[in-house]
Amino acid sequence: MSSTASTATTNNIVELQATDLPAHCPNPAMPLWSSHPRVYLDLSHGGAATCSYCGTQYKLAAGVVLKAH
């Protein structure tokens, strides 16, 4: 996840661009002390997902479309 493409707000929502995919948590902007095992997030159902470890919410930015294989 690129720090320029992703934006985090005060309520723990991270907006993702196409360049940030595949999405995972923790993301590079998170401090090392709050790390947990890496979890890949499935954004294919509604364009949003929540990390099961820390509760951070991830969503696709407006206009970003997931492309199937």
Side-chain angles (χ1 to χ4, degrees):
M1 280 171 248
S2 61
S3 59
T4 57
S6 303
T7 55
T9 59
T10 56
N11 53 358
N12 285 345
I13 297 177
V14 178
E15 192 172 75
L16 301 172
Q17 299 295 328
T19 57
D20 298 323
L21 301 175
H24 61 83
C25 188
N27 66 60
M30 293 180 159
L32 185 59
W33 63 265
S34 68
S35 290
H36 55 70
R38 181 175 284 191
V39 177
Y40 286 92
L41 304 164
D42 181 9
L43 300 169
S44 64
H45 303 289
T50 301
C51 175
S52 59
Y53 280 99
C54 66
T56 301
Q57 296 177 338
Y58 293 84
K59 70 174 189 169
L60 294 175
V64 175
V65 177
L66 293 176
K67 295 180 180 177
H69 294 259

